[in-house]
Amino acid sequence: VVVVVVVVVVRARVRVCRGEGLRGWKPSAQDILKRQDSATAKAMVLSRKPPPLSPMPPVSSVASVNCLAAPQMPSSTTTTTTSSSSTAHLLQVLEEEGIVVLPSAVSRDKAAQLRSTVLADLARYKVNPVEGCFSNINSAVNRYGLRVKLTPLVQQMLQDVLAGERRGVYEALVSRQGKLVELGAIVSEPGSAQQEIHSDVDFDSAATRIFTTFVALQDVTVDMGPTLVWPGTQSEYWCTFYKPKMLGPVDSWYEETPPTKLTLKCGDAVVMDTRVMHCGGANKSKLDRVLMHFSFESAVCEDTPTRPCGFTYHILPELADTFSLNDLAV
């Protein structure tokens, strides 16, 4: 009897260590009860299905989680109840999905100017690289990460994205004192492969929060390899109960669960929780896919005393730890 018990226990542990994805995992009733009511828990245990993804804390609790005050709308005579409602909706989508699109955040003309500048800089750096001009990037063949200067054109782009009710979104996420910790551009040339699925930081409830914004500098179509995102994978629930039991980025769950493809219009911006699982797609078109990106980080404080593990902080040294949200959102 003792031998049989030991064999069963060992086989069970091997199953867990091999990370048999979601199909081989049955959570305990105690796990489910933390997120579901008792009736749902009973149904889950009987059906042997994993619990559904649980959303992040309600929008109203975002501020307290990040040591922030309640979301503040920018002072303006044009601020209306509709704007406040829209800001709350954007925050809710971001907390539940891990991404939210801000349509037409930058004009098409300005985006086109930025695109020309980035591609000209890239062509020059390929011939005569400047120290620190390139940043590390996954799947770097035909894909480039550039650190960019805070030129008047780039600063105007930041002001445009952070204008109006959108500023209220950023203030609620990182506060007006949130620091600019990344500023650059990504160029995916034709032939660039799909990146490995990843998150930019590990989940850590005691760490500061970092949110990255991508701005499309041309229309992004499916054949250009848009960013692929698996909504909801930034939540504490998913990172605690799902992710540790999976086979990393090659787990079949990602193939069986269709991602959101961030096909965008020129000038659209996307705010992304850096904990969400995502990757750049394969560019099968004949055009370069060019994105500007910038990231803000919430302040270190009593509730979030550490910085998250894994973030790259790709920004020119002269810009590091220099600008706050309040400095740039004029």
Side-chain angles (χ1 to χ4, degrees):
V1 174
V2 173
V3 173
V4 173
V5 172
V6 170
V7 171
V8 170
V9 171
V10 170
R11 291 189 65 185
R13 292 188 65 181
V14 169
R15 282 171 58 90
V16 173
C17 292
R18 287 177 179 171
E20 286 190 11
L22 305 185
R23 297 177 306 282
W25 172 56
K26 179 176 77 65
S28 67
Q30 183 179 6
D31 292 337
I32 301 174
L33 282 168
K34 293 179 180 178
R35 306 284 173 169
Q36 310 290 331
D37 58 44
S38 57
T40 304
K42 182 182 294 185
M44 290 295 181
V45 172
L46 292 176
S47 64
R48 294 177 176 267
K49 293 180 180 179
L53 297 183
S54 177
M56 290 293 288
V59 175
S60 59
S61 68
V62 174
S64 60
V65 168
N66 293 287
C67 315
L68 308 178
Q72 295 178 316
M73 292 297 296
S75 57
S76 170
T77 55
T78 61
T79 300
T80 63
T81 305
T82 302
S83 296
S84 179
S85 175
S86 177
T87 300
H89 174 69
L90 293 173
L91 287 168
Q92 182 176 3
V93 172
L94 181 58
E95 285 301 302
E96 293 179 355
E97 305 292 329
I99 53 170
V100 68
V101 178
L102 308 176
S104 304
V106 177
S107 70
R108 296 183 71 93
D109 288 343
K110 198 168 295 179
Q113 293 179 53
L114 285 163
R115 188 176 194 274
S116 297
T117 300
V118 169
L119 292 178
D121 287 344
L122 176 59
R124 186 171 65 256
Y125 294 151
K126 284 182 178 180
V127 177
N128 296 305
V130 176
E131 184 179 359
C133 63
F134 290 110
S135 54
N136 295 330
I137 192 168
N138 292 333
S139 302
V141 178
N142 296 326
R143 181 181 276 111
Y144 300 89
L146 303 177
R147 294 181 175 93
V148 303
K149 297 179 180 179
L150 190 61
T151 63
L153 182 59
V154 172
Q155 190 166 358
Q156 185 61 60
M157 176 210 67
L158 290 169
Q159 291 175 358
D160 289 349
V161 176
L162 301 174
E165 66 186 50
R166 293 189 293 268
R167 175 170 178 167
V169 173
Y170 287 91
E171 289 182 357
L173 296 174
V174 300
S175 85
R176 296 179 180 180
Q177 288 69 48
K179 289 291 186 179
L180 179 72
V181 293
E182 199 158 80
L183 180 63
I186 296 173
V187 180
S188 299
E189 296 178 333
S192 57
Q194 178 175 316
Q195 292 179 316
E196 183 177 88
I197 300 168
H198 63 282
S199 61
D200 291 341
V201 302
D202 296 333
F203 184 92
D204 183 353
S205 60
T208 56
R209 298 282 296 275
I210 301 177
F211 295 88
T212 293
T213 301
F214 298 101
V215 180
L217 302 188
Q218 71 290 298
D219 291 347
V220 178
T221 57
V222 173
D223 61 342
M224 294 177 74
T227 303
L228 309 178
V229 180
W230 282 263
T233 54
Q234 83 292 345
S235 71
E236 180 177 8
Y237 190 36
W238 194 88
C239 291
T240 300
F241 291 102
Y242 282 65
K243 197 173 181 179
K245 300 174 177 66
M246 298 174 71
L247 291 171
V250 299
D251 194 275
S252 59
W253 182 84
Y254 293 107
E255 185 176 344
E256 296 167 359
T257 307
T260 294
K261 298 179 180 180
L262 294 181
T263 52
L264 303 167
K265 295 296 184 182
C266 181
D268 286 353
V270 177
V271 184
M272 184 184 77
D273 186 324
T274 51
R275 302 173 302 186
V276 78
M277 301 302 291
H278 66 282
C279 66
N283 190 348
K284 300 178 181 179
S285 74
K286 297 181 179 180
L287 299 173
D288 296 325
R289 179 173 67 94
V290 187
L291 304 173
M292 291 293 297
H293 68 91
F294 60 89
S295 304
F296 282 99
E297 181 177 17
S298 62
V300 173
C301 64
E302 183 177 352
D303 289 344
T304 55
T306 62
R307 305 183 88 175
C309 177
F311 197 67
T312 51
Y313 296 98
H314 286 152
I315 191 169
L316 290 172
E318 60 266 30
L319 300 179
D321 200 31
T322 301
F323 295 97
S324 68
L325 173 65
N326 200 51
D327 295 329
L328 298 168
V330 178

